[in-house]
Amino acid sequence: MEHLKLKRFPKDFLWGASSSAYQCEGAWDEDGKGPSVQDKAPVIPGTTDFKVTSDHYHRFKEDIALMAEMGFTEYRFSIAWPRIIPDGDGAVNEKGVAHYHEVIDECLKNGIQPVITLYHFDLPYALQEKYGGWINRQCIDDFVRYCEVCFKEYGSKVKYFLTINEQNMMTMFNMGGYATDRERYQANHHMLVAQAKATIRCHEMCDAWIAPAPNITCVYPLTSAPLDNLAAMDYDQLRNRLYLDTIVFGKYPEAFWVYLEQRGCAPEFADGDEEALKNAHPDFIAFNYYGASTVKYVSEEEGKKAKEKLKDPDARANMKEFMTGMMTEPGLAVGVENPLQQKTSYGMGIDPVGLRITLRQLWERYHLPLLITENGCGVPDTLNEDGTIHDDYRIDYLRVHIRACQEAITDGVNLMGYSPWSAFDLVSTHQGITKRYGMIYVNRDEFDLKDMKRIRKDSFYWYKKAIASGGEDLD
Ligand code: BG6
């Protein structure tokens, strides 16, 4: 539908950008911080480690000042659990607690609402060692205890908390390294229950709003074949609804539950799990969006073959084969490339229409306010001799996605804000710092830390203008 006239963004729309602790803070072992699973993971060849990253831990004041200069009204960042409780379940590290007080206060002083992710991929390593992390139910209690420390410390000044970043990606990509699907879905269930219990405790302990923060996208069938349409519907349950129906409606999507049961990997519920899922009522939905998914039907047999390949180290080393294997669910669907979707040089989708569809689907399904907590263009940038960075590709990307937000608002969607990835350059999950997302350049290379100077990219000035005009001036 093409609108003749677009509605304006609401006056209190949250404009800002995002980051995550382990990808930007550095100071990986300073001031009592314990190691996270990210600190202990093998470094991907050709990319930097996570020890220094963007040094935000020491430079957060300068970074927040630049965000304020752009006109941000929100900054989404994460608290590192191992900075607050270094071994995950023991003593609270006062220096870690004090650090985030300073960051929050600095945001508020600058008129920026902190939007805090409680857990962004950085489980305390000690819990992985002690009991295997999320596969153990004990992790639920330890997570909730950590969240309680955060609610008690920060709950009076923070309006928005997010529970777990991209739980769905952690499960789909088997980031816990589980040997069977049964374990993978059991660990996932523990995270769902932990999230639900943390949501309940947040409401009991403070006035803040709290939301899940999965990576959500609409799913296109590759063809109009009826089976591909069914595959798209099924994949939507596996990729999206498993993470949102459970927290909003308090139950697993029905068809997907049957699928899990029939394959012997339905998770076991313990006493209290069902109540927790039913009684946790998120106040809004935060989600990350990087382009739509496209799928086709895959038979049981074909799907199993693709999965088998994952066991072969040569096939695993081939990114395409690896992705296909990971995106396959035998008898259900396989994720495929969409020849009609534009892509960045790193192969990530550029699909603003998909964003509008996703926003509409989420709103129509859940009727909760929505916050986009990630969306962005990760590509290399060139720092010119005169100190400029002409990242027109990033501006083009942001422009079409912000316009899609406005279209969705015009469609009737309640969208609270737009917080792209990322405010300043930080280290990608697996592709180093060469893949840059920021509007603020961080002057370092993959292996040369240089001076870490912050430099305004063209997108910095563009976003500043866009925010000042309330999202109207996107030229
Ligand atoms: C999201 C994550 O999946 O995408 C971020 O929440 C991540 O942590 C971002 O950095 C971009 O992905 P990548 O792999 O390019 O860093």
Side-chain angles (χ1 to χ4, degrees), residues 292-340:
S293 284
T294 305
V295 299
K296 65 176 186 179
Y297 170 73
V298 68
S299 70
E300 190 73 30
E301 206 183 319
E302 267 179 89
K304 279 192 176 142
K305 271 195 226 152
K307 285 274 177 218
E308 267 309 296
K309 277 202 183 160
L310 282 177
K311 294 187 187 149
D312 168 5
D314 288 342
R316 277 187 79 91
N318 174 324
M319 198 52 172
K320 210 166 163 206
E321 295 232 21
F322 173 74
M323 290 300 278
T324 309
M326 293 307 276
M327 307 291 267
T328 298
E329 207 68 27
L332 193 147
V334 54
V336 292
E337 263 189 39
N338 181 342
L340 303 176

Side-chain angles (χ1 to χ4, degrees), residues 23 120-121 165-166 288 290 374 421 428-430 435 437:
Q23 295 175 267
H120 195 125
F121 302 158
N165 179 71
E166 295 198 353
N288 303 343
Y290 289 98
E374 284 185 37
W421 193 256
S428 144
T429 54
H430 61 293
K435 186 186 192 186
Y437 285 90

Side-chain angles (χ1 to χ4, degrees), residues 19-20 22-23 50 76 120-121 165-166 169 213 215 288-290 346 348 373-376 378 421-422 426-432 435-437:
S19 73
S20 96
Y22 87 93
Q23 295 175 267
F50 292 101
R76 175 213 178 202
H120 195 125
F121 302 158
N165 179 71
E166 295 198 353
M169 295 296 118
N215 177 313
N288 303 343
Y289 172 86
Y290 289 98
Y346 276 75
M348 288 171 84
T373 38
E374 284 185 37
N375 169 237
W421 193 256
S422 50
L426 37 69
V427 179
S428 144
T429 54
H430 61 293
Q431 289 170 312
K435 186 186 192 186
R436 293 175 186 268
Y437 285 90

Side-chain angles (χ1 to χ4, degrees), residues 423-461:
F424 48 89
D425 292 335
L426 37 69
V427 179
S428 144
T429 54
H430 61 293
Q431 289 170 312
I433 197 161
T434 306
K435 186 186 192 186
R436 293 175 186 268
Y437 285 90
M439 290 171 266
I440 300 163
Y441 188 87
V442 173
N443 190 34
R444 61 159 287 185
D445 285 343
E446 210 57 58
F447 301 108
D448 179 354
L449 293 176
K450 297 189 170 169
D451 59 8
M452 291 275 187
K453 201 167 154 215
R454 283 20 188 183
I455 304 168
R456 296 163 183 80
K457 301 184 192 180
D458 284 358
S459 56
F460 177 103
Y461 299 105

Side-chain angles (χ1 to χ4, degrees), residues 44 61 102 104 114 155 173 188 206 227 237 280 317 381 402:
I44 296 173
K61 288 194 180 165
E102 280 188 58
I104 291 166
F173 289 97
N188 182 63
C206 45
L227 268 180
Q237 300 210 359
D381 289 318
I402 292 176

